[in-house]
Amino acid sequence: MKPSSETKSQAESLREQIRHHNYQYHALDDPEIPDAAYDRLMRELLALEEKYPDLVTPDSPTQRVGDAPVSSFETVQHELPMLSLGNAFSPEELNEFHSRVLDRLEMDAGSTLQYAAEPKLDGAAVSLLYEDGVLVRGATRGDGTNGEDITHNVRTIESIPLRLMGSGYPRRLEVRGEVFMPKAGFDAYNENAREAGTKAFVNPRNAAAGSLRQLDPKLTAERPLDMYAYSVGISDGANLPDHHSEILNRFQEWGIKVCPERRVVDGVNGCLEFYEDIGSRRDALPYEIDGVVYKVDSLRLQEELGFVSRAPRWAVAHKFPAQEEMTEVAAVEFQVGRTGAVTPVARLKPVFVGGVTVSNATLHNIDELHRKDVRVGDTVIVRRAGDVIPEVASVITGRRPKGTRRVQLPTACPVCGSRVAREEGETVARCTGGLFCAAQRAEALKHFVSRRALDIEGFGAKLIEQLVLSDRLQTPANIFQLTMEELSALDRMGEKSASNLIDSIEASKTTTLTRFLFALGIREVGESTAASLASHFGKLKSVVAASDEELQAVPDVGPVVAARIRSFFDEQHNIDVISTLRELGVSWPESEPLAPSDDGPLSGKTFVITGTLPSMTRDEAKERIQLAGGKVTGSVSGKTDYLLAGEKAGSKLTKAEKLGVEVLDEAALLSLI
Ligand code: 9MJ
């Protein structure tokens, strides 16, 4: 039966009322009607929709648990990467963060800068995409680049609106935030689980993450989840406010829940006051937090500051003191990493700390190990802060058994027997075996196949170790020579997995220059440097041939990184492996370099850049100048032709004026180019 237009508007009116009460209850925490009255509205709408199924819309408040189970999660590629946060563990580290920010913005040390401060929730990060105000997709953070599609599960979370309230929201709006399980819900769930003899959650964070990754949305719906939004991703088709704090206010007007404890504060002192205040009320808050977050409030300045690999330079997580427990050291072993770094690790009698069982803890390096004087048999304090690797904080020397000995740095690599060397002034000791060392080879290969490098799905750590030990894998090129027969003959490898693996190896051959450069594992060349090199040079040949000076013209490449890149490509062995990889079919699209021209309008001119420019970052300005043939240096001298100055230019401007160097603004630069 088709519904009459009267019935249609009755359903729409019920939906409006329910949305309004949801908003009052969840976003504003200010309910206008008792729960029973809300339930009546809901039942009325359900009855109508049952009678007239045509009335059901995907954004109807009744549609939260309607989806059928899925068999796996689709991958979602984030259009803008989902970032993680750097940490500060003390006021000193916070001060250092603040100084770095002021430095980068070329602001004087005493300048005030406003930060948006908010509690750091301990849950799971999610991305919610709204199109024309309707929730169309929910995704996990995943590795920051690729997450999982969990739309069917986020729809079950009552405080997440299926449709935005009010008006003025962007046509496409991506809201990012933390899904968490409030303490009360966590405790109640676990008590039920214990009574029913089912599995309890270890901590609220696992509870949130695990609940979001249910294949059956009905299971997610049973979990008491909540969400606070804390940042914006994509926003198309409307201008958002230019301050983080105002965007969160706007979110709230649209019915998206934000943390009520947020505040805008002045400088480090304001941050510390906020930290103390939240810290003193931590136990009374209804949700678990592991610190607070400070974000530069102005989005202009955020953009100016940019990112270092996966973390923004404009934000920091100030963590509460870590949780600590006591346990015993069963052994101290030395692990060899990809670059040969020999790291001491304490093997511990398992201990439950900060929500997880810890049986290994890093001792960082040999100096740290000696400073703390950790010995086998010692009773130690193990510390774990949120998501940080557990460490041995200190030794309880009063409990030291008789006959223990100081641990020494091994003189030979525990894996390959090569000499272990430590350069003057370096804290890190390294195995000198290079790719002769099976540990370094295995780590280099793990890096090569990893998700952000060549991304060979199913090529796991155990398999690599097995193939390295049997000498079948010596260089990354050997990966592409593996055959179906040898793979399926391996332990724990069936025909099907071998054939899948061959397919993923084949698929990985088509890649990008950025991934390939990153995969090579050149020291100091992370993903973002690889991307800068790829876009600057366009072709691998040009990167290989670039001189030290040419390399340093790339944004973010300084003398140390340039030297690492040069010495990598100066090794004939590395060039040979690259040629073999290309012969075996590894390829990527190459592009024209953004090479500086010799006869550009700025050739022969030397620039210094200072202050905040109206439409581009300083790195972008640098690239533009170089493309036009100019040179950019760091400090003003008699050799400087122009100072490009933006807002809040400091001492460089004074110096340029003193030396009579011509000062340009962004518009003047663009007209020169
Ligand atoms: C949490 N976990 O509460 C961020 N976060 O911002 C807050 N996380 C964040 N902000 C940018 N409040 C990346 C992560």
Side-chain angles (χ1 to χ4, degrees), residues 83 85 118-121 178 230 293 295:
L83 305 164
L85 293 169
E118 54 209 36
K120 182 166 186 303
L121 296 150
E178 199 86 353
Y230 55 61
V293 183
K295 299 174 179 171

Side-chain angles (χ1 to χ4, degrees), residues 257-312:
K257 219 166 154 176
V258 287
C259 181
E261 305 293 344
R262 67 195 186 285
R263 213 190 302 156
V264 177
V265 300
D266 281 332
V268 168
N269 286 342
C271 290
L272 289 175
E273 236 171 73
F274 181 80
Y275 177 86
E276 291 300 327
D277 173 44
I278 295 291
S280 70
R281 296 189 290 116
R282 179 181 183 186
D283 289 341
L285 292 176
Y287 39 82
E288 204 72 65
I289 60 175
D290 62 350
V292 297
V293 183
Y294 315 121
K295 299 174 179 171
V296 171
D297 198 25
S298 155
L299 298 199
R300 276 261 327 106
L301 298 182
Q302 287 191 3
E303 201 182 331
E304 175 79 23
L305 288 160
F307 313 93
V308 247
S309 77
R310 323 226 115 233

Side-chain angles (χ1 to χ4, degrees), residues 262-552:
R262 67 195 186 285
R263 213 190 302 156
V264 177
V265 300
D266 281 332
V268 168
N269 286 342
C271 290
L272 289 175
E273 236 171 73
F274 181 80
Y275 177 86
E276 291 300 327
D277 173 44
I278 295 291
S280 70
R281 296 189 290 116
R282 179 181 183 186
D283 289 341
L285 292 176
Y287 39 82
E288 204 72 65
I289 60 175
D290 62 350
V292 297
V293 183
Y294 315 121
K295 299 174 179 171
V296 171
D297 198 25
S298 155
L299 298 199
R300 276 261 327 106
L301 298 182
Q302 287 191 3
E303 201 182 331
E304 175 79 23
L305 288 160
F307 313 93
V308 247
S309 77
R310 323 226 115 233
R313 289 203 185 92
W314 40 263
V316 72
H318 189 178
K319 295 277 181 97
F320 292 133
Q323 280 147 305
E324 299 183 335
E325 284 302 335
M326 222 164 51
T327 188
E328 277 168 40
V329 177
V332 173
E333 289 174 7
F334 289 83
Q335 275 179 349
V336 184
R338 175 161 66 86
T339 59
V342 174
T343 307
V345 184
R347 307 287 177 212
L348 306 168
K349 207 165 125 190
V351 58
F352 194 70
V353 44
V356 295
T357 302
V358 171
S359 43
N360 300 303
T362 179
L363 293 159
H364 300 291
N365 56 58
I366 192 74
D367 287 345
E368 272 292 293
L369 166 67
H370 283 160
R371 196 176 60 73
K372 292 176 182 158
D373 191 16
V374 179
R375 302 181 186 194
V376 177
D378 270 345
T379 298
V380 293
I381 308 264
V382 176
R383 176 196 292 161
R384 188 176 165 276
D387 43 8
V388 182
I389 306 172
E391 60 172 3
V392 171
S394 59
V395 175
I396 306 176
T397 38
R399 294 191 174 215
R400 175 167 285 165
K402 281 209 173 71
T404 60
R405 283 202 314 215
R406 257 171 89 85
V407 177
Q408 297 300 338
L409 179 69
T411 50
C413 169
V415 178
C416 72
S418 301
R419 191 170 55 85
V420 168
R422 197 171 154 195
E423 278 168 36
E424 265 304 298
E426 280 254 350
T427 45
V428 181
R430 286 178 205 279
C431 158
T432 54
L435 291 180
F436 168 75
C437 174
Q440 290 188 51
R441 219 158 57 223
E443 293 307 313
L445 287 161
K446 285 178 205 167
H447 173 78
F448 188 85
V449 304
S450 66
R451 190 128 141 185
R452 293 179 197 146
L454 272 253
D455 190 20
I456 308 186
E457 221 183 304
F459 216 124
K462 287 270 173 301
L463 177 63
I464 289 181
E465 281 158 19
Q466 196 181 349
L467 291 169
V468 166
L469 279 181
S470 64
D471 253 1
R472 183 58 189 96
L473 280 189
Q474 301 197 330
T475 78
N478 299 140
I479 293 173
F480 299 93
Q481 295 161 327
L482 290 168
T483 63
M484 182 66 199
E485 291 68 39
E486 0 174 23
L487 284 178
S488 47
L490 293 170
D491 285 353
R492 282 171 297 162
M493 174 83 75
E495 286 266 324
K496 181 77 189 141
S497 355
S499 135
N500 286 344
L501 193 51
I502 292 281
D503 289 347
S504 354
I505 293 173
E506 194 55 35
S508 76
K509 287 184 180 173
T510 307
T511 185
T512 63
L513 182 53
T514 299
R515 280 179 178 275
F516 187 77
L517 284 169
F518 177 59
L520 291 176
I522 306 169
R523 267 171 74 188
E524 310 283 346
V525 177
E527 235 176 332
S528 61
T529 307
S532 302
L533 289 168
S535 71
H536 184 91
F537 290 104
K539 297 180 166 57
L540 180 66
K541 198 174 71 187
S542 321
V543 187
V544 174
S547 68
D548 218 67
E549 198 181 10
E550 286 163 338
L551 287 167
Q552 288 192 47

Side-chain angles (χ1 to χ4, degrees), residues 59 130-135 161-165 169-171:
D59 62 341
Y130 288 90
E131 285 180 1
D132 297 316
V134 177
L135 175 68
L162 300 178
R163 167 188 281 280
L164 300 179
M165 302 287 289
Y169 39 76
R171 205 188 56 70

Side-chain angles (χ1 to χ4, degrees), residues 15 34 89 91 93 97 106 112 122 145 154 166 178 223 238 243 277 293 315 318 348 375 378 404 438 445 556:
R15 275 180 203 134
F89 285 97
E93 288 181 11
F97 162 80
E106 299 196 349
T112 40
D122 213 3
T145 308
V154 296
E178 199 86 353
R223 309 282 169 87
H243 283 73
D277 173 44
V293 183
H318 189 178
L348 306 168
R375 302 181 186 194
D378 270 345
T404 60
L445 287 161
D556 283 344

